[in-house]
Amino acid sequence: MQRVTIMDVAARAELSPSTVSLYFRKPDAVSAAASQSIARAIKALDYVPNLMAGGLAAASSRVVSIIVPSVRNAFFAETVATMQSELSKQRLQVMLGHTEYSEHDEEDLVRTALSWAPAAIVLTGLSHTAATRKLLRDGKVPVVEIWELGAQPIDMAVGFHHVQVGSAAASHLIQRRRKQLLFLGARLQEDRRAAQRAQGFVETARSVPDVSAGIIQHPAPASADVGAMLLTEALRRFPGVNGIACSNDHIALGAIFECQRLGLAVPERLSVVGFGDLSFSAGCNPSMTTIRPPGDLIGREAARLVIERIAGVDGKTERAVIDTSFSLLHRQSS
Amino acid sequence: MQRVTIMDVAARAELSPSTVSLYFRKPDAVSAAASQSIARAIKALDYVPNLMAGGLAAASSRVVSIIVPSVRNAFFAETVATMQSELSKQRLQVMLGHTEYSEHDEEDLVRTALSWAPAAIVLTGLSHTAATRKLLRDGKVPVVEIWELGAQPIDMAVGFHHVQVGSAAASHLIQRRRKQLLFLGARLQEDRRAAQRAQGFVETARSVPDVSAGIIQHPAPASADVGAMLLTEALRRFPGVNGIACSNDHIALGAIFECQRLGLAVPERLSVVGFGDLSFSAGCNPSMTTIRPPGDLIGREAARLVIERIAGVDGKTERAVIDTSFSLLHRQSS
DNA sequence: TCGGAAAATAATAGCGCTGCGAACGCTGCG
DNA sequence: CGCAGCGTTCGCAGCGCTATTATTTTCCGA
């Protein structure tokens, strides 16, 4: 599969393979003259280093394994894309894994990831199988858990408190004088974080006198269609509902569309709050009040932690936990 | 970084390392008794194979490198997610790279990818630097180019003709008796494929008597905001425009929203066709006529080609080109 | 009971690179 | 003029696994 090796480059540059290796690893340690002839040889031979050989010899690779539920989800896509660009600046490669919201699949992915002696592993959420936790605690691979805060991380964590998100949505609706609140959620069984938002929403709402709150859910993945269905269901079971928060903006959009079809004025008759601030949320009619999770910031901070940990000396094992927080964007739908 | 090796497993199972290796590579060639004791040893020792050592020895790895403009883009996210799940069934890992629409960055990514002796490389589009083409043609790594058809692929290709997409949009609008057509596009300089759609649109429209067509574009990435701006610009320059096609659904959604604000009836006064069939497109008001690119099918077929090529004998080097086509979904906005 | 083929297991020789310590050659000072 | 000291370069010994070939064991019919 590979023809040109470091030996060929060395031969052509009339140096030893060790020096060529050094040229890649610590360019400053090689004299200018040597550097030049090595660079020339590389170009002439079209040499591509074999990173597997390097990784084997060094017992570590420049691979960062990122494991998310699915990159189909715009939240994680954002984070993965941001991390990728930050990491590639440091010549770190991204290996991607999808759990599809299964902790069991996640365990397999972690096991595979470990097979590559990665520079770091990035996981989504704080909930994992016992075996996963054991694998990661035993190994001395840096671990960053993203998109969730609130429990003890394995190593480092970057994210925010989803319970607080639900709470913020409820407070906002109550402030807008909404009394009968509902949380519309898709796939709350699988999506722990959406469930936390629902929980925070209901708890905060119920702590206020004269305010009622409940959860309406659907097992299918979030989409505008599901949002419309959930709104219909909500009105059927609680005709007086006047404030809803949704597990994400797709649901909220579907709910708003359904209100338009039914002739219910938003926000007069019904206030709607979403989660995500997706591409369409600011532009739709009425524009959507939503809570924006900082997906890019999470990616950037996670990348930073990884890079710093790699660069740092071994002793420097600070178990950073970064709260990126979130922001409620008050727009027309509430 | 790694403690337990295949030797440890072998010692514990009272077999030779060779047999343990065989157990991983060709489980059927190992006796049931041996299999059992190996499995037991693996579990007891929590053995994680070192894939870099394996890859080095075998001169190939079970890594598939997927290079897309950005996974932030829902189209590519869909394809990447689908490929990932299909490939992981075959114990193939995905390594991800983002070009950000730069062919130069793509070249670096390909070079890096090659460093891992990947089982295959998946690229987006058919346009690459000369060096990229050379690297990929020289190596005997399977290459699949996705999301575009129309030029000579390096090896295999899965996608559709974007010129045909533009053409279909134009034909559809003309069939709806629209005569003054415009294509609203974001980032047409970088996004070759969007530019092809625009080109197909204009060419087809202009080939019909009494029909005029033009292109309005904006250098920013696609979003509903940009769509609204483009619509405003379109109406300013061509007040009589009554049919528009957009480079994607974000633009189309922004245009529809802007029409609502301006009190222009969609589709009566202005027909709108999008591209993408994104999550909100079926649910919005009016529901959006759009062209659906089969992102999941592209992913599935690309994965299939990769898997078949890997499984197949060396001689079997059929240079498959698969046209997944696309479908126009006629809804209320046209 | 035995020979021979088939099945199962084992020994061997690297894969291409890194990390270490050692060796080299040069400078500049005593 | 010699030698410490430094910046560079080199040689060696693996990293943990696979692929090939060699060897052993098992199975079977004659």
Side-chain angles (χ1 to χ4, degrees):
Chain A
M1 184 134 279
Q2 174 130 358
R3 188 95 316 136
V4 183
T5 75
I6 206 170
M7 314 258 289
D8 300 314
V9 175
R12 177 142 188 151
E14 296 180 312
L15 289 162
S16 76
S18 303
T19 307
V20 178
S21 174
L22 203 63
Y23 167 83
F24 282 113
R25 292 175 294 119
K26 295 173 185 166
D28 296 339
V30 176
S31 71
S35 287
Q36 270 188 24
S37 62
I38 290 172
R40 224 186 335 259
I42 289 170
K43 182 150 269 179
L45 297 172
D46 230 343
Y47 170 65
V48 176
N50 184 327
L51 259 23
M52 290 193 296
L56 175 61
S60 86
S61 68
R62 296 192 71 81
V63 168
V64 174
S65 186
I66 303 182
I67 297 173
V68 294
S70 171
V71 81
R72 244 180 281 253
N73 184 319
F75 301 147
F76 304 126
E78 175 79 31
T79 301
V80 168
T82 304
M83 284 202 75
Q84 151 88 46
S85 24
E86 294 295 315
L87 293 173
S88 67
K89 289 176 193 161
Q90 309 287 325
R91 297 188 4 267
L92 289 161
Q93 276 94 56
V94 167
M95 209 148 206
L96 188 66
H98 291 169
T99 66
E100 306 290 354
Y101 291 99
S102 153
E103 289 188 5
H104 180 262
D105 287 7
E106 185 187 59
E107 184 180 323
D108 284 347
L109 289 168
V110 167
R111 221 177 283 277
T112 305
L114 252 13
S115 301
W116 289 98
I121 293 186
V122 177
L123 293 176
T124 309
L126 296 168
S127 173
H128 318 286
T129 67
T132 301
R133 300 183 77 85
K134 182 172 186 307
L135 278 170
L136 292 175
R137 231 192 296 265
D138 289 356
K140 37 238 137 289
V141 181
V143 177
V144 184
E145 288 163 284
I146 57 173
W147 273 92
E148 182 176 341
L149 250 45
Q152 177 71 26
I154 297 172
D155 184 1
M156 298 174 278
V158 183
F160 54 91
H161 294 267
H162 289 257
V163 172
Q164 289 179 6
V165 169
S167 186
S171 299
H172 172 76
L173 287 171
I174 290 164
Q175 198 186 322
R176 310 296 299 168
R177 311 201 180 283
R178 305 296 144 171
K179 302 284 188 184
Q180 295 197 38
L181 308 185
L182 285 176
F183 186 95
L184 308 190
R187 210 160 32 163
L188 296 186
Q189 308 76 27
E190 286 90 2
D191 191 342
R192 250 176 63 93
R193 287 168 291 283
Q196 288 172 13
R197 296 195 290 273
Q199 180 206 332
F201 181 82
V202 170
E203 279 174 5
T204 296
R206 289 189 180 152
S207 71
V208 177
D210 300 331
V211 171
S212 69
I215 298 175
I216 310 270
Q217 55 178 305
H218 192 90
S223 71
D225 284 349
V226 170
M229 284 166 52
L230 284 169
L231 186 85
T232 308
E233 168 87 356
L235 288 169
R236 188 178 65 72
R237 289 173 50 191
F238 304 93
V241 59
N242 57 7
I244 64 171
C246 303
S247 61
N248 68 47
D249 283 0
H250 289 118
I251 302 291
L253 190 71
I256 289 175
F257 286 149
E258 190 62 21
C259 286
Q260 290 180 350
R261 272 182 222 107
L262 298 172
L264 297 182
V266 174
E268 293 77 10
R269 165 67 180 78
L270 190 66
S271 288
V272 177
V273 177
F275 173 77
D277 192 30
L278 300 182
S279 57
F280 51 81
S281 306
C284 65
N285 276 326
S287 60
M288 190 190 295
T289 293
T290 191
I291 286 168
R292 200 182 105 70
D296 52 344
L297 181 60
I298 291 174
R300 196 161 16 256
E301 289 295 295
R304 190 173 61 76
L305 288 180
V306 166
I307 291 164
E308 283 179 1
R309 177 65 74 80
I310 294 171
V313 282
D314 303 308
K316 197 187 165 197
T317 313
E318 34 174 345
R319 305 179 147 264
V321 172
I322 296 177
D323 188 342
T324 61
S325 193
F326 55 85
S327 43
L328 190 145
L329 305 172
H330 183 194
R331 294 197 278 238
Q332 297 166 354
S333 70
S334 72
Chain B
M1 182 134 280
Q2 173 129 1
R3 188 98 313 137
V4 183
T5 74
I6 206 170
M7 314 260 288
D8 301 313
V9 175
R12 176 140 188 152
E14 297 179 313
L15 289 161
S16 75
S18 305
T19 307
V20 178
S21 173
L22 204 61
Y23 167 84
F24 282 113
R25 291 175 294 120
K26 295 172 184 169
D28 296 339
V30 176
S31 71
S35 288
Q36 270 188 26
S37 61
I38 291 172
R40 220 180 344 255
I42 290 170
K43 182 150 272 178
L45 298 173
D46 231 344
Y47 170 65
V48 176
N50 184 326
L51 258 22
M52 290 194 296
L56 175 61
S60 86
S61 68
R62 297 191 70 80
V63 168
V64 174
S65 184
I66 303 182
I67 298 173
V68 293
S70 170
V71 82
R72 245 180 280 252
N73 183 319
F75 301 148
F76 304 126
E78 174 79 33
T79 300
V80 168
T82 305
M83 284 202 76
Q84 151 88 46
S85 25
E86 294 295 315
L87 293 173
S88 68
K89 288 176 194 161
Q90 308 287 323
R91 299 188 1 268
L92 289 162
Q93 276 93 56
V94 168
M95 208 149 208
L96 188 65
H98 291 170
T99 66
E100 306 289 353
Y101 290 99
S102 150
E103 290 188 5
H104 179 264
D105 287 5
E106 185 187 58
E107 184 180 322
D108 284 347
L109 289 168
V110 167
R111 222 177 282 276
T112 305
L114 252 13
S115 302
W116 290 97
I121 293 186
V122 178
L123 293 175
T124 309
L126 296 168
S127 174
H128 318 286
T129 67
T132 301
R133 301 182 75 85
K134 181 171 186 312
L135 277 171
L136 293 175
R137 231 194 293 267
D138 288 358
K140 37 239 136 283
V141 180
V143 177
V144 184
E145 288 162 284
I146 58 174
W147 274 92
E148 182 177 342
L149 249 42
Q152 177 70 28
I154 296 171
D155 183 0
M156 297 174 279
V158 183
F160 55 91
H161 295 267
H162 288 257
V163 172
Q164 289 179 6
V165 169
S167 186
S171 299
H172 172 76
L173 287 171
I174 291 165
Q175 200 185 320
R176 310 298 298 167
R177 312 201 180 283
R178 306 294 145 172
K179 303 283 189 182
Q180 296 198 39
L181 309 186
L182 285 176
F183 187 96
L184 308 189
R187 210 162 29 166
L188 296 187
Q189 307 77 24
E190 286 89 3
D191 191 342
R192 251 177 60 93
R193 289 168 290 283
Q196 288 171 13
R197 296 195 290 275
Q199 180 205 332
F201 180 81
V202 169
E203 279 174 4
T204 296
R206 290 189 180 155
S207 71
V208 176
D210 302 329
V211 172
S212 68
I215 298 176
I216 311 268
Q217 55 178 306
H218 193 91
S223 72
D225 285 348
V226 169
M229 284 166 52
L230 284 169
L231 185 86
T232 307
E233 168 87 355
L235 288 169
R236 189 178 64 71
R237 289 173 49 191
F238 304 92
V241 60
N242 57 8
I244 63 171
C246 303
S247 63
N248 69 48
D249 283 0
H250 288 118
I251 301 292
L253 189 71
I256 289 175
F257 286 150
E258 190 61 22
C259 286
Q260 290 180 351
R261 274 182 221 108
L262 298 173
L264 297 183
V266 175
E268 293 77 8
R269 166 65 180 81
L270 189 67
S271 288
V272 177
V273 177
F275 174 78
D277 193 30
L278 300 181
S279 57
F280 51 80
S281 307
C284 63
N285 276 327
S287 61
M288 190 190 297
T289 294
T290 191
I291 286 168
R292 200 181 104 70
D296 53 345
L297 182 59
I298 291 174
R300 193 157 24 250
E301 290 293 297
R304 191 172 60 76
L305 288 181
V306 167
I307 291 164
E308 283 179 1
R309 176 67 73 81
I310 293 170
V313 282
D314 304 307
K316 197 188 165 198
T317 314
E318 33 173 347
R319 306 178 145 266
V321 172
I322 296 176
D323 188 343
T324 61
S325 195
F326 54 85
S327 44
L328 189 145
L329 306 172
H330 184 194
R331 294 197 278 238
Q332 297 166 354
S333 71
S334 70

